[in-house]
Amino acid sequence: MSYIAPFIESEDVVKLIRDNSKIPGKDYLIIDVRDKDFRGGNIPGAINMPAGQMLDSGNDLIIKYRNVPLVIFHCALSQERGPKSARIYNEIRHLTGEKGNQEVVVMRGGFDGWHAKYHKEKDLIDNYEPSIWGIFEDDLKKDEEEENPFLAGIPKPSSS
């Protein structure tokens, strides 16, 4: 039996988060397995369980969230820690005889992909620290000015 979790697209996760009828931790669970790289921002409603703790704490997660129908794992890129943690979670579920129709998936692209797509959407990143991502206040102002169609072609005031 394969315990490898399939991928879910970030757009599908956005739909879950923005669906006001869905409650994190009840209708879905996002497990962010980044450790020190967790600082700087996270997906709203995600819990942080560093990948290195999955073997020791996975069973506690399974018990606590056994009735959540969809569990979404991710790390920075969802290439190693996220998929491995999802596999360990599935293996623990099997070894402990956990029953139920819980679907375990890995978010494609991880938080780096999420950040690249959604860093300007304030409802999609909690605890955001742009400077950690190399984005500084001047960059944010520049982006805002460039994106405002009403400012197109209007000379910027001189800073004297």
Side-chain angles (χ1 to χ4, degrees):
M1 174 175 232
S2 174
Y3 299 107
I4 297 172
F7 283 98
I8 186 172
E9 301 301 326
S10 61
E11 294 82 5
D12 296 322
V13 179
V14 169
K15 289 176 191 171
L16 282 171
I17 291 170
R18 288 187 168 159
D19 183 342
N20 292 330
S21 71
K22 303 287 185 196
I23 301 168
K26 182 179 178 198
D27 297 304
Y28 66 92
L29 177 65
I30 300 171
I31 302 176
D32 186 330
V33 299
R34 295 177 295 156
D35 37 69
K36 291 179 183 175
D37 52 338
F38 180 76
R39 189 172 158 251
N42 59 277
I43 297 173
I47 62 168
N48 182 230
M49 168 67 65
Q53 297 175 14
M54 189 56 61
L55 278 174
D56 294 331
S57 302
N59 196 48
D60 295 336
L61 274 178
I62 291 165
I63 292 168
K64 184 172 183 177
Y65 297 106
R66 68 172 22 125
N67 295 320
V68 176
L70 176 63
V71 179
I72 304 163
F73 282 85
H74 78 85
C75 58
L77 300 173
S78 288
Q79 293 179 354
E80 291 188 28
R81 293 176 292 176
K84 182 177 181 181
S85 295
R87 180 184 52 77
I88 290 169
Y89 183 90
N90 274 333
E91 287 175 355
I92 294 170
R93 287 185 75 232
H94 174 75
L95 291 171
T96 58
E98 186 66 35
K99 303 291 183 212
N101 294 327
Q102 190 173 70
E103 182 181 7
V104 178
V105 296
V106 176
M107 186 180 75
R108 189 180 311 276
F111 191 78
D112 285 6
W114 183 272
H115 174 264
K117 286 182 182 179
Y118 306 117
H119 72 273
K120 293 180 183 177
E121 299 186 46
K122 295 187 187 317
D123 66 321
L124 295 179
I125 299 185
D126 282 347
N127 307 306
Y128 188 47
E129 295 180 45
S131 62
I132 289 178
W133 295 91
I135 300 172
F136 300 96
E137 196 169 314
D138 290 342
D139 297 331
L140 293 172
K141 287 179 185 175
K142 182 180 172 189
D143 283 349
E144 288 171 9
E145 291 169 0
E146 288 175 359
E147 289 179 14
N148 188 336
F150 298 107
L151 297 177
I154 299 174
K156 294 178 182 33
S158 60
S159 53
S160 35

